[in-house]
Amino acid sequence: MKSDCIPTICQERKKDPIEMLHSGQLVKVCAPMVRYSKLAFRTLVRKYGCDLCYTPMIVAADFVRSIKARDSEFTTNQGDCPLIVQFAANDARLLSDAARIVCPYANGIDINCGCPQRWAMAEGYGACLINKPELVRDMVKQVRNQVENPRFSVSIKIRIHDDLTRTIDLCRKAEATGVSWITVHGRTVEERHQPVHYEAIKIIKENMSIPVIANGDIRSLKEAENVWHITGTDGVMVARGLLANPAMFAGYNETPLQCIWDWIDIALELGTPYMCFHQHLMYMMEKITSRQEKRVFNALSSTSAVLDYLTDHYGI
């Protein structure tokens, strides 16, 4: 685990996510994305109106047992706030140990109860947890007992059941155990690209006293505001929409050139590996490049080649 923050306490702790979610204002959230929502990208989206960022999903057992895993999976710095660390877990003790490790560096943890990937569910992580409300309750309870900071949030991110009453029951049990908020991806485990069930998210919100964040297929600030109004939730979480346009929350309909320049500065300063650096640019430039330009740009194999290309074509 690496941090440029000395002391390790987040300097922007005053930006309390729980207070933000109770403010009545739209809270704009960057989703936990495997490989993508790391420190450099979080730094970028914060420059463009993102209020709250999540780390990529981290397997709690590996994080606790391996220093190497901690160093590779979790990097932060002084400005990386407010921050939620998302864990994949199926054991209350290991999760609470992981939470105690990150507590000085983050505002809270989130339990992944929504990942539908087969490997995660086979390990007892992710979306299979929506069918195990007692285990979710035990994990939340253990973190609450082990982490002394009362402002440290514990949240869950879920998918919905075909029978929505089961989802409402899960959420009520989580709320009773002390969950700070719930993020709802409005699809079932089996659904991938089908329309998001925003009405289901609205019903869940109406049955909760704690904040709820809506997630699923939001690609612009206007769509974020529409979903916020339709569902009555307290925030919206965006994944692929931010990958394609990190300036989305600032109201841009496509990635502005200044945002690309900011990404280059941030990524190079933080030592982002080339593959990640290039992949983010490929996403960002999807809408502003022709098919021929994409073929050329996507085939570039070094940072210097990328910088030369952008200078020649965009004056960056």
Side-chain angles (χ1 to χ4, degrees):
M1 183 167 56
K2 300 173 185 175
S3 174
D4 300 327
C5 189
I6 301 175
T8 55
I9 304 300
C10 175
Q11 301 301 305
E12 297 291 326
R13 185 76 80 169
K14 62 188 178 184
K15 294 181 182 176
D16 190 311
I18 298 174
E19 291 179 7
M20 291 163 61
L21 288 164
H22 282 282
S23 69
Q25 303 298 310
L26 170 61
V27 179
K28 301 181 283 291
V29 186
C30 178
M33 292 177 278
V34 175
R35 295 186 301 277
Y36 294 122
S37 50
K38 295 195 172 186
L39 175 60
F41 188 69
R42 298 195 300 266
T43 303
L44 179 67
V45 295
R46 290 186 197 279
K47 285 179 68 78
Y48 288 91
C50 186
D51 300 311
L52 177 62
C53 291
Y54 282 53
T55 69
M57 181 183 75
I58 299 169
V59 177
D62 296 340
F63 190 79
V64 170
R65 293 168 181 155
S66 166
I67 294 174
K68 184 178 179 181
R70 292 199 285 277
D71 285 344
S72 65
E73 294 296 322
F74 181 57
T75 304
T76 187
N77 63 19
Q78 192 169 339
D80 190 27
C81 287
L83 177 66
I84 304 300
V85 182
Q86 191 189 66
F87 285 112
N90 58 15
D91 180 283
R93 182 184 60 80
L94 284 172
L95 178 65
S96 64
D97 287 346
R100 281 191 299 167
I101 292 169
V102 301
C103 181
Y105 304 88
N107 294 77
I109 66 151
D110 183 80
I111 306 170
N112 187 317
C113 304
C115 178
Q117 294 183 35
R118 288 179 184 174
W119 75 266
M121 295 183 67
E123 294 288 338
Y125 305 140
C128 69
L129 291 175
I130 64 174
N131 299 316
K132 300 178 180 179
E134 305 307 322
L135 176 55
V136 173
R137 182 200 65 188
D138 290 346
M139 289 195 290
V140 173
K141 202 175 196 178
Q142 184 89 329
V143 174
R144 284 278 178 236
N145 289 338
Q146 293 297 317
V147 176
E148 295 180 0
N149 182 357
R151 296 178 66 189
F152 192 76
S153 66
V154 184
S155 57
I156 61 174
K157 184 174 186 290
I158 66 170
R159 284 188 171 232
I160 59 175
H161 297 85
D162 288 315
D163 177 1
L164 198 59
T165 59
R166 294 181 63 198
T167 312
I168 292 169
D169 179 64
L170 167 71
C171 293
R172 284 175 172 165
K173 286 177 177 174
E175 179 178 4
T177 311
V179 158
S180 306
W181 69 82
I182 297 173
T183 301
V184 183
H185 181 90
R187 291 187 176 100
T188 66
V189 175
E190 293 76 24
E191 292 175 326
R192 292 295 187 272
H193 304 293
Q194 292 88 336
V196 178
H197 304 287
Y198 294 120
E199 184 63 28
I201 300 176
K202 178 183 179 183
I203 292 168
I204 292 167
K205 171 59 184 172
E206 289 170 349
N207 280 272
M208 296 289 105
S209 299
I210 56 174
V212 174
I213 297 173
N215 174 230
D217 273 5
I218 298 167
R219 302 299 180 107
S220 69
L221 180 59
K222 184 177 181 181
E223 285 183 13
E225 291 169 341
N226 286 343
V227 169
W228 180 51
H229 288 300
I230 289 167
T231 59
T233 49
D234 306 280
V236 296
M237 176 183 282
V238 178
R240 285 175 294 185
L242 279 174
L243 278 182
N245 179 10
M248 187 194 98
F249 283 142
Y252 292 92
N253 292 323
E254 59 184 34
T255 309
L257 291 178
Q258 181 59 49
C259 183
I260 294 172
W261 178 240
D262 288 337
W263 167 247
I264 292 167
D265 282 347
I266 292 165
L268 295 183
E269 181 182 349
L270 294 176
T272 302
Y274 175 74
M275 190 173 292
C276 180
F277 168 72
H278 187 214
Q279 190 74 48
H280 273 294
L281 286 170
M282 287 162 62
Y283 278 115
M284 290 181 208
M285 296 171 65
E286 177 70 24
K287 287 185 179 179
I288 61 175
T289 52
S290 67
R291 185 174 296 179
Q292 174 61 27
E293 288 174 329
K294 284 184 183 65
R295 277 199 293 267
V296 174
F297 184 79
N298 294 358
L300 298 176
S301 58
S302 70
T303 300
S304 59
V306 167
L307 296 179
D308 288 344
Y309 180 93
L310 293 174
T311 301
D312 292 344
H313 288 76
Y314 299 99
I316 295 180

